[in-house]
Amino acid sequence: LGGTDNVGTLLIGSFGGTGTYSLSGGALNASTSVSIGGTGTETGVLNVSGAGRLTDSGNLTVNSGSAMYLSGGTLSVNNLIVNGQFNWTTGTLNINGLQTTTIGTGGPFGSVFTLGSGQNLNLYNSLTVNAGSLFTMNGGNLTAYSLINNGT
């Protein structure tokens, strides 16, 4: 626990394999990107919990068949791309890129998202709720440039 690791790109479960990376204390800084799993049969799991801090200056991608768990700590990314599972129970998520974060098809949270107690979502840009999608505030904290609600 403790300390800081600095990497360019972090690949978890790639090149025909599987992998798991857990961060419960200290910090990991990725200057290029983080990729969980691959585009084939490769699978990966990333766990950020406790006092762990992961900062990704590029895209954090959760590929199909892979998973990201945020259960405490802080995850800071430029862009969050979820094609697998993103499971968030507690902690802080900072999305610092210029793109709008979407609740709806293709967005990192899916079409139904509840920001619950112990969850802090900080967006550099806007949060858009697409038509037919549902966003619920239930004790969590949201900071965004703007909120565009086309859903419920």
Side-chain angles (χ1 to χ4, degrees):
L1 298 178
T4 300
D5 289 327
N6 297 299
V7 299
T9 299
L10 176 63
L11 302 173
I12 304 167
S14 59
F15 303 109
T18 61
T20 299
Y21 189 98
S22 296
L23 181 65
S24 60
L28 171 68
N29 301 310
S31 62
T32 305
S33 65
V34 174
S35 182
I36 306 166
T39 56
T41 59
E42 306 91 352
T43 59
V45 175
L46 173 60
N47 299 297
V48 177
S49 63
R53 294 181 320 278
L54 189 150
T55 301
D56 179 7
S57 298
N59 293 336
L60 187 146
T61 303
V62 183
N63 288 300
S64 179
S66 296
M68 160 82 208
Y69 296 91
L70 180 57
S71 54
T74 301
L75 175 63
S76 299
V77 300
N78 187 57
N79 190 20
L80 180 61
I81 301 166
V82 179
N83 297 311
Q85 296 178 21
F86 181 72
N87 301 290
W88 179 20
T89 54
T90 59
T92 298
L93 174 60
N94 302 311
I95 300 178
N96 302 316
L98 297 176
Q99 74 287 341
T100 295
T101 300
T102 301
I103 297 174
T105 303
F109 307 115
S111 296
V112 177
F113 177 63
T114 298
L115 191 62
S117 180
Q119 294 175 310
N120 302 296
L121 177 59
N122 301 307
L123 305 173
Y124 178 80
N125 206 329
S126 300
L127 176 65
T128 297
V129 182
N130 285 349
S133 298
L134 176 65
F135 173 57
T136 304
M137 294 281 299
N138 189 19
N141 297 299
L142 171 66
T143 302
Y145 177 76
S146 65
L147 173 63
I148 301 163
N149 189 3
N150 298 313
T152 42

